[in-house]
Amino acid sequence: MAERTGIKKRWFLCIILLVVLSLILYVTNQYKFPQRFPNHKAQNLEVTMLQGANYPNLEPGIMFVETSDTLIPSELTMCAIESAALVNSRKQVYYFIKEFTGNISALEQTKFKGLHLLSSIHNITLLPLDLEDLFYGTPLFDWYKKIDPENEKYWIHVLSDACRIALLWKYGGIYLDTDIISLKPLNFINFICEQSYNYANGAALGFSRNHPFTKESMFEYVEKYIGGKWGQQGPDLITRMLMKWCETEEINDFLNKTCKGVTFYPKDWFYPIPYSSWKSYFENDKWEENNSVEDQFSETRGVHIWNFLSNGNTRYIKDTQSYMEYFFKNYCPRTYETLQQ
C-alpha cells in the first residue's frame, strides 16, 4: 500500500514538473526578443503586385529614388547616379523620379540639363515614380492612401524609406541613396551594411525579387510607423528586421557572414566615415596628384556623404583637393565638369 502511494506521488510530481516546464517554454517563446521572423501568408503580394504594375518588366539593376517635387537633381545626386553607372557599366541603373512624366524630350535642355546629362549615359534609365502603382497590392498601399504628407515632419525621407523596400520587393536588385558615390562594382546578392556597432542602415541594400525580408519589412514599416521619429522607418527598421531575421540582438556576430541568405557587410563598405565626421569629406588638401586616395578607401564600395547634414557643400569643391573633389573627378567626371569653379 505504501509502495503504491509512493508511485502515485512520483507520478504527481512528474506531472507538475512537466506543466511548469511547459509554462516556462510558452512564456519564453512568447516574449523572447527579438521575436521570430513573421510570415504573412494570408496576403498574396506577388500576384496583386504584378496585377497593379504599369512599369516595364525591368531587369534587376541599381535603383535610385527622388521623392521630392524637383526635376533638378543636385550635383551630389548626379554624381551618385553617374558613378554607379560608371563602375557598374554592365548593369542597368534606374532613376525613379516622382515628378517625371517619362518624356525627357518635353524638358527644356538648359533648365533640366542634369536629367539630360544622366539620360545620355548608355546604362542609365529615367523612370516616373508612380507611388500608387508602386505600393499597390502591398501593406504600404493603405498607409499611403491614408497618410497626410502635410502633417509629416520627415515626409520626403519616410516616403523614400517606403519606396526602396517596395522597389526591391517588386523588381529585386540594388538600392542606393542619392548621396552614395560608387567606387567599386556591386554584385547582385542579398545584403545589408553596418552603419555602426550593432546597427544597420538602409542607404545601400541588395535583395532578390519577392524576397521574404523585404516583404516582411513592408509589414513592419506600417505596423511600427512613427513618422515624427527620425530613423524609425529607415535604419531603425532595417536593424529591427535584421535582428528578427537572424534571431539575435547581436547582429555584429554576423559581420562579413551570411545569415539565412542575407550577408551583413561591415561599415567600411558604405560608411567609412561616420555621420559625426561628415565634414572631413570636404576638408581641403586631403590628397595630392601622386598620392592616391584609393588605399584609404580600399574596402569601400561606395561612400555615403550624409546629405542630410552636408547638403549644399558639394557645389564649390573644385581645386580644393578634398575627398569630394577626388571622388567627383574620378568617378563622375561628367558631373564634375558642370561644377562651379
Side-chain angles (χ1 to χ4, degrees):
M1 185 76 177
E3 183 180 349
R4 189 175 298 176
T5 303
I7 292 173
K8 287 182 178 180
K9 285 183 177 178
R10 283 195 293 273
W11 273 106
F12 181 71
L13 288 172
C14 287
I15 291 170
I16 291 176
L17 183 61
L18 285 171
V19 170
V20 170
L21 286 172
S22 297
L23 285 171
I24 291 172
L25 287 171
Y26 173 79
V27 170
T28 301
N29 286 330
Q30 288 294 308
Y31 297 101
K32 181 178 69 174
F33 181 82
Q35 297 174 2
R36 284 188 175 275
F37 205 71
N39 186 14
H40 293 91
K41 292 182 178 179
Q43 188 171 355
N44 190 337
L45 297 187
E46 182 175 2
V47 174
T48 54
M49 184 168 278
L50 292 175
Q51 288 175 345
N54 290 323
Y55 294 132
N57 187 21
L58 302 179
E59 63 177 279
I62 300 173
M63 299 181 286
F64 295 87
V65 172
E66 181 58 70
T67 55
S68 74
D69 296 331
T70 188
L71 283 170
I72 303 176
S74 69
E75 294 87 352
L76 180 53
T77 294
M78 289 176 58
C79 185
I81 298 168
E82 182 187 347
S83 65
L86 181 69
V87 301
N88 298 278
S89 59
R90 295 187 178 182
K91 293 183 176 70
Q92 286 298 308
V93 175
Y94 303 111
Y95 184 24
F96 292 88
I97 310 166
K98 187 165 74 74
E99 293 299 303
F100 184 52
T101 65
N103 184 8
I104 187 66
S105 60
L107 300 178
E108 197 268 320
Q109 182 84 33
T110 305
K111 182 178 181 181
F112 301 102
K113 60 184 178 182
L115 292 184
H116 280 279
L117 185 154
L118 293 175
S119 69
S120 70
I121 298 173
H122 79 279
N123 58 331
I124 294 178
T125 301
L126 309 185
L127 291 167
L129 180 63
D130 185 329
L131 294 167
E132 287 196 17
D133 184 78
L134 175 61
F135 297 144
Y136 178 81
T138 78
L140 296 167
F141 185 76
D142 287 341
W143 163 82
Y144 176 69
K145 295 294 287 183
K146 293 175 183 176
I147 201 161
D148 182 0
E150 294 296 323
N151 296 328
E152 294 297 313
K153 185 176 181 181
Y154 303 115
W155 174 241
I156 291 174
H157 303 281
V158 297
L159 182 57
S160 173
D161 293 332
C163 288
R164 71 192 65 184
I165 52 178
L167 284 167
L168 286 169
W169 159 259
K170 192 168 189 176
Y171 299 117
I174 296 167
Y175 167 85
L176 297 177
D177 270 359
T178 53
D179 58 350
I180 289 182
I181 301 174
S182 294
L183 307 184
K184 295 179 180 67
L186 294 169
N187 296 322
F188 288 131
I189 59 173
N190 303 318
F191 76 85
I192 296 170
C193 188
E194 172 199 35
Q195 175 184 312
S196 56
Y197 181 79
N198 220 45
Y199 192 68
N201 195 306
L205 298 167
F207 280 98
S208 58
R209 184 184 182 194
N210 297 158
H211 195 280
F213 189 99
T214 51
K215 173 184 175 180
E216 296 300 336
S217 293
M218 291 187 290
F219 282 102
E220 176 83 4
Y221 182 102
V222 175
E223 292 167 3
K224 301 286 179 65
Y225 183 79
I226 307 175
K229 181 182 177 184
W230 177 258
Q232 170 73 6
Q233 317 307 130
D236 288 0
L237 169 71
I238 300 301
T239 301
R240 292 196 308 271
M241 295 307 293
L242 189 57
M243 286 181 173
K244 290 182 180 181
W245 182 259
C246 298
E247 298 183 72
T248 179
E249 294 182 16
E250 293 296 324
I251 54 175
N252 266 58
D253 290 346
F254 290 96
L255 272 182
N256 266 327
K257 298 178 184 177
T258 298
C259 170
K260 299 179 183 177
V262 177
T263 302
F264 188 38
Y265 287 122
K267 58 180 178 289
D268 282 346
W269 271 61
F270 289 101
Y271 315 104
I273 293 177
Y275 71 87
S276 57
S277 303
W278 67 267
K279 290 182 180 179
S280 62
Y281 281 125
F282 298 89
E283 290 174 1
N284 293 354
D285 302 319
K286 283 290 197 176
W287 56 277
E288 298 174 1
E289 291 295 338
N290 60 350
N291 182 22
S292 174
V293 180
E294 303 299 327
D295 289 343
Q296 299 175 57
F297 295 92
S298 61
E299 301 298 318
T300 301
R301 270 57 184 176
V303 285
H304 189 257
I305 308 300
W306 310 107
N307 186 56
F308 186 69
L309 298 169
S310 66
N311 185 29
N313 283 268
T314 304
R315 195 165 299 159
Y316 305 104
I317 61 172
K318 272 192 171 181
D319 299 326
T320 62
Q321 291 190 303
S322 62
Y323 287 143
M324 285 297 289
E325 184 183 17
Y326 182 89
F327 297 143
F328 268 68
K329 197 172 184 179
N330 289 277
Y331 294 99
C332 56
R334 296 178 67 174
T335 300
Y336 179 74
E337 290 303 317
T338 69
L339 297 179
Q340 298 180 32
Q341 193 70 30

